[in-house]
Amino acid sequence: MSYYGSHNPPPLPPRSPRPNGNAVVSPAAHPNQNYALPPYNLPPSQSPGYPSAQSPNDLTIFPPPPPGPPPRNVNSPNPNGQYSIPPYRPSPQSPVNAHNPQLSSHSPTPHRPSSTVHQESPAVTPFSQPPTHTPANQAQSPSTSLPSYQGPVLSTHPATQRLSYVPPPVTPQLSEDLEARFQSLTVENPPAASAQRPASYHAPYVPQPRQNYQPSAPAPPSPIPPVSQPNHQIYELPVESQSKHRSYTEPSVRSLPAPPPAVTSCIDNRATFATDWYWHPDAPEFTICSRCYVDHIYGTRFQNFFRSERFTDGKARVCRFSKPRMKECLFESALATGSLDSALEWMRSRPLIPDCKGMDGVKGNAGIKWYRAKENEIPSFVSCQACYEDRILTNNFVVHFEPAPQQPASDTWACDLAVPFIDKEYEDRGKTNDWINFVNETKARLSMKPCPGHNKSLTYGKKWFIPKNGPEGLVLCLACYCDQAIHTGEEAKWEAADSWTRQYDKYVRCGIGIFSIKMAMASGHENKDFSTFWTAVRKLSNEKFCEDDGIENGVWYTLSSDPSNFGVCAGCYVAIAEPLNVSRFFVRKREAQPAGTKWRCCFSVAHPRFRQFITQLLELYHTHDLTSFDKFASVYASTPVCPRDQDEKNRRWYGWDDCTICPECYHDFGRHSPLAAKMDLNNTLLETNRMCELYSPRMRSLYKKCSEANPPDQVPLLEYSAQRRLVWAQTVPQMRMMLFRARMALNQQQVLNATSSFYNNMGMMEEITMPSLHTYSAAGVGYGYANMNLLQGAKYGQQAMNITMNAANGNSVFIVRQLEQQWRAVE
């Protein structure tokens, strides 16, 4: 009979009846360490018989042992009842010192017995680091050390009373290699029963298996003690090994049913598309996306505590589970203690806190509470209450923060913790309690100039970064390099372009200001894999740039249904669709682009429906369901955007001559009414100036009221629309003219200020190099100027000041305000 590894003699059967429990050989006899514990309290095995036809990997009886030395004594059970049979070795081994600290460990406290199901895969998992706790009634001895065994293993399954043979690996591994490979695998003791008052949401003790369960080793204690303060509660983040692998859930051989369907990524930004959401009945406003539920809650003792529903009401929702305080602190603690009370308290209070508004900022009348560093140690640094609760409280640095003064209503403040570099610095420096370097790095980041965005910028006096190995043309400004490259492991692939700092005639565009590159970079951060980013930018360098006004003779992609007027350029396809893993939903466009014409990409920031298409793209990314995207593109890609209160010529209209409706408003609202059948205009082309009347909520309410009349009557709608149009003609054109004059004056002022600065600089240089004994003056400007250049600069400065005073006089502001109030009264 041959089997895997049959070149070695088969393991020897026991020579005497097996005692109750399991036995393990002494390390002095067989120095193998860190091998997994067999199931605890197994029943006695049956005596082996003689060989018969059976699977070599599942032996119920064994062949007689081959000739060789007598077997070792394996019938000395250890306190844990472990039982193991060492493989036959032709040569004796040298004894091992039982007191060697590298070879001794303590047996973990045995788990509560539970029923198991026989599986054909290896029944046990190696331990890398056995727990160091020893029960009080169990002395430390070498016999408690488990050997790192790599040969054939005999394990008994209580359900079948059969012995399973597990073949050895082809290439033997060293104990150090095995220990390194399985460093994060361990099973800790279940939580002990507490003598305190039972919690209202205390789950039963019996644990449930986790999806893709991988136990982890207990982490060493943190070298930094938590800092306590009377008014602050610090939530310590678990170490990385504990956050990735749960160590408090007992493994079980029972398999869970297939997990519920989930989105591809956490919905950490507000979304309105139809998808499944989860929530706890006691905290219904704390919504959890299906991705976070499947990854973190499903398979735990709390999986049945949450309800779910697919919402199709179009209301904006966001997942609140993914923030560090909830995911890495409160829920980890709940799993360890079996109680959701602390997490539920936070889940009820968190929806009452306004969400972070990001780096765009918010006015003081938004009612957001702010925090800052104590004694203003970081000048101009503020954190919103949401980031303070979600992030700052999870770090020992919380003791360095205090409430900030109240924000003035007219001021705009932005949360600085929303800056990616500062957020990552706070997380990393907090692990080592390095507050000084965090302060220095934050000051440096806040002092940097903001990214110029989509516009080109002069390189002189600024620091830029370029990739060492290309592609050529990819550039990052200093702020974007800190936010997007540092703390990613990709820093070595970038280098500073020092020569650009001294060039006066070089203009570049920051790569993050290009939407397609920004999306490719975001995909790299999301997946923690930047190979897709580098692949995307190298492909992008070979495609035509997505210009705001369109691309001529380009390569275009579309959906399989090929909606009219919908197209994505090749650059956006390789830098957006491919990194987001949705490229399979796009195909090459069959229609050829006419020569000499320009098509505008639907993913271009200059496209009038850019935000709507990107919203549909994100839904496609999360759900991998093309239905919504295809339906939207089929209707709106060829529908002009509503002009609202702007006059438009040569456009198609619906409705009546006194109440014109654009195609978009007709499709969204007008066509569902009985009045649609009474319209005089039905996609009719009008050459005269017209405006849409149905964009206004007031007009839509009146339209609905007229539709619900019995019989439906459009006369009140037409009468009000004619009066509204008359008020518009008396107010809106005048306001626009006054605003146009103000903008022209502002542009003229900027030109005059630039000219004044030029002459002032020339005059100062002349005064230094060629000083004059005379002074110069002019009426209305003043006297005492050292040269004519300084006098000319003063003249231009005076003109700029006069323009500002005329444009910003109170009379113009009052008139515009009065006209606006008249129009808003009927709009």
Side-chain angles (χ1 to χ4, degrees):
M1 180 179 64
S2 61
Y3 50 86
Y4 181 83
S6 60
H7 56 278
N8 291 329
L12 300 178
R15 299 295 185 177
S16 58
R18 169 182 275 178
N20 292 333
N22 297 320
V24 65
V25 297
S26 173
H30 189 71
N32 292 327
Q33 301 245 351
N34 298 333
Y35 192 71
L37 292 173
Y40 180 63
N41 284 344
L42 294 178
S45 62
Q46 299 177 359
S47 300
Y50 292 95
S52 61
Q54 53 187 315
S55 172
N57 293 333
D58 191 9
L59 303 179
T60 56
I61 56 177
F62 294 89
R72 302 179 188 272
N73 183 15
V74 296
N75 296 323
S76 57
N78 67 348
N80 284 332
Q82 305 296 327
Y83 187 83
S84 175
I85 301 178
Y88 169 76
R89 298 187 182 275
S91 59
Q93 299 183 6
S94 59
V96 180
N97 186 5
H99 299 284
N100 188 349
Q102 297 180 355
L103 299 178
S104 64
S105 60
H106 303 292
S107 175
T109 304
H111 296 297
R112 177 177 301 180
S114 59
S115 61
T116 58
V117 180
H118 174 70
Q119 295 183 351
E120 295 298 330
S121 58
V124 291
T125 303
F127 282 52
S128 62
Q129 295 180 359
T132 58
H133 174 70
T134 303
N137 58 354
Q138 179 176 344
Q140 300 181 8
S141 65
S143 62
T144 60
S145 300
L146 296 178
S148 178
Y149 186 61
Q150 298 177 359
V153 179
L154 294 178
S155 62
T156 305
H157 300 279
T160 59
Q161 295 290 332
R162 297 193 305 172
L163 298 177
S164 297
Y165 173 77
V166 180
V170 177
T171 305
Q173 300 288 337
L174 299 177
S175 60
E176 291 82 6
D177 184 26
L178 184 66
E179 185 170 348
R181 291 173 57 190
F182 298 98
Q183 185 177 4
S184 63
L185 300 180
T186 187
V187 178
E188 293 183 0
N189 300 331
S194 174
Q196 300 177 355
R197 175 180 56 87
S200 58
Y201 282 94
H202 198 341
Y205 172 80
V206 179
Q208 299 184 11
R210 303 240 1 201
Q211 186 71 12
N212 300 328
Y213 171 81
Q214 288 185 347
S216 63
S222 175
I224 305 172
V227 183
S228 61
Q229 189 170 345
N231 295 330
H232 297 281
Q233 183 178 3
I234 304 173
Y235 298 86
E236 294 186 13
L237 286 171
V239 295
E240 185 176 358
S241 62
Q242 288 180 335
S243 62
K244 289 183 178 180
H245 309 288
R246 314 287 184 199
S247 61
Y248 35 73
T249 306
E250 295 182 6
S252 174
V253 192
R254 289 184 303 173
S255 60
L256 284 171
V263 293
T264 58
S265 178
C266 174
I267 308 176
D268 52 1
N269 291 315
R270 290 190 173 271
T272 58
F273 58 85
T275 185
D276 295 330
W277 290 94
Y278 293 80
W279 71 94
H280 195 280
D282 287 354
E285 297 299 323
F286 193 93
T287 50
I288 303 172
C289 70
S290 54
R291 181 77 273 156
C292 287
Y293 175 81
V294 170
D295 289 348
H296 303 286
I297 302 177
Y298 180 79
T300 69
R301 64 187 72 190
F302 303 116
Q303 70 172 18
N304 296 326
F305 288 10
F306 293 83
R307 299 178 182 176
S308 67
E309 183 178 347
R310 173 171 289 265
F311 290 108
T312 59
D313 53 2
K315 181 181 177 181
R317 293 177 176 86
V318 64
C319 179
R320 302 187 182 279
F321 186 88
S322 59
K323 300 300 184 291
R325 181 175 179 182
M326 182 62 192
K327 183 177 71 174
E328 301 173 5
C329 296
L330 295 176
F331 194 71
E332 295 282 335
S333 176
L335 288 173
T337 62
S339 175
L340 267 178
D341 284 354
S342 299
L344 275 175
E345 183 179 357
W346 168 243
M347 293 164 67
R348 285 189 288 263
S349 60
R350 178 58 182 88
L352 304 178
I353 302 174
D355 292 330
C356 179
K357 305 302 179 182
M359 293 185 289
D360 296 334
V362 64
K363 291 286 187 180
N365 53 13
I368 294 181
K369 187 178 181 180
W370 299 90
Y371 293 83
R372 68 175 183 180
K374 287 184 177 179
E375 300 179 359
N376 203 21
E377 190 172 359
I378 309 177
S380 303
F381 176 88
V382 290
S383 171
C384 66
Q385 184 181 5
C387 289
Y388 178 84
E389 299 284 350
D390 289 336
R391 302 181 182 277
I392 291 182
L393 284 179
T394 64
N395 197 306
N396 288 330
F397 286 166
V398 65
V399 297
H400 296 283
F401 290 88
E402 64 181 1
Q406 187 175 2
Q407 178 186 4
S410 58
D411 289 358
T412 300
W413 289 6
C415 178
D416 293 315
L417 209 62
V419 179
F421 176 79
I422 297 178
D423 182 30
K424 194 64 178 178
E425 280 288 315
Y426 184 83
E427 179 183 352
D428 290 350
R429 302 289 181 182
K431 295 177 181 178
T432 58
N433 204 20
D434 191 0
W435 171 255
I436 301 299
N437 280 328
F438 170 73
V439 171
N440 295 334
E441 296 293 340
T442 302
K443 288 180 179 178
R445 176 61 183 89
L446 294 179
S447 64
M448 298 176 186
K449 295 182 179 180
C451 176
H454 191 66
N455 302 321
K456 288 188 175 182
S457 176
L458 181 66
T459 61
Y460 178 77
K462 304 173 184 176
K463 197 167 186 179
W464 303 88
F465 291 84
I466 57 176
K468 293 180 179 180
N469 301 322
E472 187 177 357
L474 178 60
V475 182
L476 291 185
C477 67
L478 179 58
C480 290
Y481 173 78
C482 293
D483 292 341
Q484 306 296 333
I486 297 181
H487 297 298
T488 63
E490 303 291 309
E491 297 89 340
K493 298 181 181 180
W494 298 86
E495 62 182 356
D498 296 329
S499 60
W500 293 9
T501 307
R502 299 182 295 272
Q503 297 184 15
Y504 292 90
D505 56 347
K506 189 175 184 61
Y507 288 84
V508 296
R509 181 186 285 114
C510 178
I512 304 301
I514 302 173
F515 180 74
S516 56
I517 298 180
K518 185 177 181 179
M519 291 294 290
M521 179 67 78
S523 176
H525 283 282
E526 176 73 19
N527 301 322
K528 307 299 182 184
D529 180 14
F530 290 89
S531 61
T532 56
F533 166 76
W534 293 110
T535 302
V537 294
R538 288 188 175 93
K539 290 182 179 180
L540 182 62
S541 63
N542 299 323
E543 304 293 344
K544 290 187 176 182
F545 183 73
C546 186
E547 299 286 352
D548 292 346
D549 58 346
I551 301 176
E552 186 176 354
N553 298 327
V555 178
W556 296 92
Y557 291 82
T558 184
L559 303 178
S560 57
S561 61
D562 194 12
S564 177
N565 291 336
F566 176 81
V568 177
C569 68
C572 291
Y573 174 81
V574 299
I576 298 178
E578 288 184 352
L580 294 182
N581 197 25
V582 295
S583 58
R584 66 179 183 273
F585 298 105
F586 294 85
V587 296
R588 284 286 295 269
K589 196 172 183 65
R590 295 185 292 269
E591 180 184 358
Q593 184 177 3
T597 61
K598 287 187 176 182
W599 285 357
R600 181 180 290 172
C601 176
C602 291
F603 290 166
S604 170
V605 294
H607 195 281
R609 296 195 183 276
F610 165 74
R611 293 185 178 275
Q612 295 171 302
F613 279 124
I614 293 303
T615 301
Q616 297 295 324
L617 176 67
L618 292 180
E619 178 181 352
L620 177 63
Y621 165 70
H622 282 293
T623 63
H624 281 190
D625 185 2
L626 188 61
T627 304
S628 179
F629 197 136
D630 186 74
K631 183 178 179 180
F632 178 86
S634 300
V635 174
Y636 292 97
S638 57
T639 302
V641 179
C642 175
R644 299 179 67 85
D645 57 356
Q646 296 282 348
D647 272 343
E648 295 287 345
K649 292 182 179 181
N650 298 323
R651 292 192 61 165
R652 296 187 177 274
W653 300 94
Y654 292 83
W656 301 267
D657 190 64
D658 289 335
C659 181
T660 50
I661 305 172
C662 72
E664 181 179 3
C665 292
Y666 173 79
H667 184 273
D668 290 345
F669 189 80
R671 66 188 179 98
H672 304 289
S673 168
L675 293 179
K678 299 185 177 183
M679 292 181 178
D680 298 334
L681 305 178
N682 189 1
N683 200 23
T684 305
L685 179 64
L686 298 180
E687 298 180 356
T688 57
N689 287 335
R690 296 301 176 95
M691 60 173 286
C692 181
E693 305 286 350
L694 210 59
Y695 77 91
S696 166
R698 186 191 302 270
M699 291 297 294
R700 291 194 174 192
S701 176
L702 183 59
Y703 183 87
K704 182 178 180 181
K705 183 178 180 180
C706 294
S707 301
E708 294 173 351
N710 192 12
D713 186 10
Q714 72 275 17
V715 175
L717 175 67
L718 300 181
E719 292 178 352
Y720 185 84
S721 178
Q723 180 65 25
R724 179 176 178 270
R725 178 73 177 182
L726 180 62
V727 176
W728 179 91
Q730 296 175 352
T731 57
V732 176
Q734 297 184 39
M735 288 189 296
R736 291 175 178 170
M737 180 59 66
M738 298 180 71
L739 293 175
F740 174 76
R741 291 174 181 174
R743 283 193 294 266
M744 292 296 295
L746 178 61
N747 294 335
Q748 187 178 3
Q749 179 200 15
Q750 293 175 351
V751 173
L752 291 172
N753 285 332
T755 307
S756 175
S757 299
F758 173 77
Y759 278 102
N760 287 333
N761 292 333
M762 292 289 293
M764 288 186 290
M765 291 295 297
E766 182 180 352
E767 184 180 4
I768 295 173
T769 57
M770 295 179 295
S772 175
L773 300 177
H774 305 281
T775 59
Y776 300 84
S777 61
V781 179
Y783 60 90
Y785 295 96
N787 50 59
M788 286 298 299
N789 286 327
L790 290 176
L791 178 61
Q792 194 67 24
K795 287 183 179 180
Y796 285 117
Q798 187 72 25
Q799 294 177 16
M801 186 178 298
N802 293 335
I803 291 177
T804 303
M805 295 178 62
N806 294 333
N809 62 78
N811 188 27
S812 300
V813 175
F814 177 78
I815 293 175
V816 172
R817 185 175 299 173
Q818 290 290 337
L819 295 175
E820 183 181 9
Q821 289 178 357
Q822 295 179 22
W823 167 239
R824 299 302 180 192
V826 298
E827 184 187 13

